[in-house]
Amino acid sequence: MSGIELPTNQPTTLARDAEALRPAETETATFGMGCFWGPDALFGAKEGIVRTRVGYAGGTAPDPTYHDLGDHTEVVQLEYDPDTWTYAELLDVVWANHDWTGSQKRQYRGVILTHDDTQQEVAERSRAALAGRTGQSVATTVELLDQFYPAEDYHQKYELRTLPVVADELEDLYGDVFTASTVAARLNGFAAGYGSEEQQHDLLATLDLPPTVLDEVRRRL
């Protein structure tokens, strides 16, 4: 997904994204952690996570959809700042935030989908360390990503969409690049209860959104 090409003299809500790292400056990670709405919000609230999107991967069926998933799994895909996060640190978040001990139906299974040999090696080492540390079998698998299929628009930034006053305003601002917005990722995380009070305050103080929109976000916090 391409970055947001917006001039930095735009109103501050848009400028926050215009100043974000471009895809070429980030690294990408893909994880299956159960229903993808929660992980999307969890990671979206974290500094250094530049963009998030949810989709389907890990299977062989062509062109999966939510109602015709085939053998794919719900996953979250992240673009992250490698100066803020290592891949191993992202894996620590993954292990701490899904049930890696049990076997789930394929749609919601735990899976780490690696993008290259380096991620594969780090993920396998992390998985083995978890098993050794806990003495438990790790059901979450490590597999090489073949293809990522973006989920339907109504799944993207789902928690934020439960605040339609906010989501509608942002979609009007961003149009087709709403899903790729760092601001939308943060607000999606805040809507789900993630992020510190200081982080929430600092972001909201810089956004030139209508008072009704900001009040709706604060109501959820």
Side-chain angles (χ1 to χ4, degrees):
M1 183 176 294
S2 61
I4 298 177
E5 300 295 339
L6 294 170
T8 55
N9 63 351
Q10 290 281 348
T12 56
T13 302
L14 301 183
R16 291 293 294 257
D17 282 297
E19 296 163 2
L21 294 179
R22 294 291 180 262
E25 301 171 302
T26 65
E27 295 184 7
T28 306
T30 305
F31 306 120
M33 302 167 60
C35 175
F36 49 25
W37 297 336
D40 186 30
L42 169 71
F43 281 108
K46 296 184 180 297
E47 296 296 332
I49 303 300
V50 183
R51 283 170 282 274
T52 70
R53 48 192 168 264
V54 297
Y56 315 114
T60 59
D63 302 320
T65 67
Y66 185 72
H67 295 292
D68 189 13
L69 200 57
D71 57 349
H72 288 282
T73 299
E74 293 189 15
V75 299
V76 61
Q77 188 167 89
L78 320 170
E79 290 180 32
Y80 65 96
D81 180 356
D83 290 334
T84 303
W85 291 90
T86 66
Y87 188 65
E89 289 170 338
L90 291 176
L91 291 173
D92 288 341
V93 177
V94 172
W95 297 128
N97 286 278
H98 83 288
D99 180 9
W100 47 264
T101 66
S103 179
Q104 307 294 328
K105 63 182 295 187
R106 191 169 179 88
Q107 179 176 357
Y108 302 120
R109 70 188 175 114
V111 60
I112 297 165
L113 291 165
T114 60
H115 289 245
D116 54 37
D117 290 343
T118 299
Q119 286 191 358
Q120 184 84 8
E121 180 181 346
V122 173
E124 289 177 346
R125 187 165 59 243
S126 178
R127 183 178 185 274
L130 177 66
R133 185 169 65 251
T134 63
Q136 298 185 64
S137 176
V138 179
T140 296
T141 60
V142 177
E143 303 170 14
L144 186 64
L145 176 68
D146 180 27
Q147 188 168 352
F148 173 86
Y149 299 88
E152 296 81 353
D153 286 347
Y154 64 88
H155 288 300
Q156 306 293 343
K157 308 296 179 284
Y158 179 81
E159 295 291 344
L160 188 56
R161 290 180 188 277
T162 66
L163 302 175
V165 171
V166 184
D168 290 350
E169 176 73 20
L170 291 174
E171 285 194 291
D172 285 345
L173 280 172
Y174 289 106
D176 291 342
V177 294
F178 169 73
T179 298
S181 163
T182 304
V183 169
R186 294 288 183 275
L187 292 178
N188 186 57
F190 296 168
Y194 297 111
S196 68
E197 183 176 341
E198 179 181 7
Q199 183 188 16
Q200 295 166 0
H201 177 272
D202 288 349
L203 177 62
L204 294 180
T206 68
L207 300 184
D208 56 332
L209 296 172
T212 54
V213 173
L214 294 174
D215 288 346
E216 183 70 6
V217 176
R218 294 188 178 101
R219 183 185 65 79
R220 177 64 70 90
L221 302 182

